[in-house]
Amino acid sequence: MTDKQKILIVDDDENIAELISLYLTKECFDTCMVYNGEDALLKFHTFSPDLILLDLMLPGIDGYHVCREIRREAATPIIMLSAKGEVFDKVLGLELGADDYIIKPFDSKELVARVKAVLRRTAAQPAVSASPSAQGDVVSYPDLVVSLTNYSVQYMGQTVDMPPKELELLYFLAASPNRVFTREQLLDHIWGYEYIGDTRTVDVHIKRLREKIKDHPAWSLATVWGIGYKFEAKTQ
């Protein structure tokens, strides 16, 4: 018998948490509910969830802080729940490492579908690395090594800290050198669904990558104006 996938539900509204738990239990998920940020961080270690549904507006430690703390040690999928629907809030959540963002009130079928989509995408991630320039889940260039195995980036001999989505975006581009991707393609490949909002989240992630990873004589993160981006591997 296959073990049930575990979902940690973090919401200060107990009624909403119980309703979400009911939806997911019917879909054969194992759920655990907590109602504040402190308990979320504690239960994350004891419950070992496969995915976290995380409300942003929590008493004490808010959802942004919880997401940031979890991302320091794990790539566990996180779907943020919020009544805030502005693009800024969505982009901020995704920048911190969230895998999806659902606006309240939400439809139960959409919530379940999003959970399943994120879990499918996470399970499929190791298969992304089919490229002549990649070995296993590691892609290497002069002074740059990006690893999906342990979610690490080595640049100029130093470890560079970055959220999972930034790392995945860098890896995806670097694993297909000189191939141009549109913003829509990058959203589809990295986030795995049609982002509700606009494509500025890709631009924000590229900007952050360029702040951490400067152009190199052998490679660069290049903008293809009017189309999108590519990882340019320069011939010697």
Side-chain angles (χ1 to χ4, degrees), residues 148-174:
L148 282 185
T149 303
N150 57 8
Y151 270 71
S152 67
V153 176
Q154 295 287 325
Y155 170 63
M156 304 297 287
Q158 302 293 322
T159 299
V160 179
D161 293 328
M162 60 178 62
K165 282 292 171 282
E166 285 182 18
L167 186 148
E168 290 165 14
L169 178 58
L170 177 61
Y171 178 89
F172 182 78
L173 289 168

Side-chain angles (χ1 to χ4, degrees), residues 43-140:
K43 189 61 68 173
F44 169 71
H45 293 99
T46 59
F47 185 59
S48 299
D50 296 291
L51 181 143
I52 303 167
L53 286 169
L54 178 63
D55 186 32
L56 292 182
M57 304 304 291
L58 298 171
I61 300 176
D62 65 19
Y64 291 121
H65 185 87
V66 172
C67 181
R68 187 182 298 110
E69 289 298 313
I70 290 173
R71 280 291 169 263
R72 288 178 177 174
E73 57 182 285
T76 304
I78 297 173
I79 298 178
M80 287 186 168
L81 307 175
S82 178
K84 295 182 176 182
E86 291 80 5
V87 171
F88 170 81
D89 297 300
K90 296 178 186 178
V91 172
L92 178 58
L94 294 169
E95 280 183 351
L96 291 174
D99 297 86
D100 202 345
Y101 191 108
I102 300 178
I103 301 170
K104 296 179 179 180
F106 47 78
D107 180 80
S108 61
K109 292 181 179 179
E110 180 186 4
L111 175 69
V112 172
R114 293 283 190 99
V115 166
K116 290 181 177 180
V118 170
L119 287 170
R120 283 196 304 270
R121 184 167 73 251
T122 304
Q125 277 179 349
V128 172
S129 59
S131 167
S133 63
Q135 296 181 356
D137 290 333
V138 179
V139 60
S140 301

Side-chain angles (χ1 to χ4, degrees), residues 7 10-11 24 27 57 59 100 102 121 140 160 212 214 226:
I7 312 295
V10 187
D11 199 307
L24 294 174
E27 297 293 327
M57 304 304 291
D100 202 345
I102 300 178
R121 184 167 73 251
S140 301
V160 179
K212 300 171 183 178
K214 306 299 182 183

Side-chain angles (χ1 to χ4, degrees), residues 26-39:
K26 286 182 178 179
E27 297 293 327
C28 297
F29 290 103
D30 183 13
T31 65
C32 176
M33 297 175 288
V34 294
Y35 312 109
N36 60 67
E38 291 86 349
D39 288 345

Side-chain angles (χ1 to χ4, degrees), residues 178 217-219 232-236:
N178 300 316
W219 50 263
E232 184 176 356
K234 302 170 185 178
T235 56
Q236 301 298 313

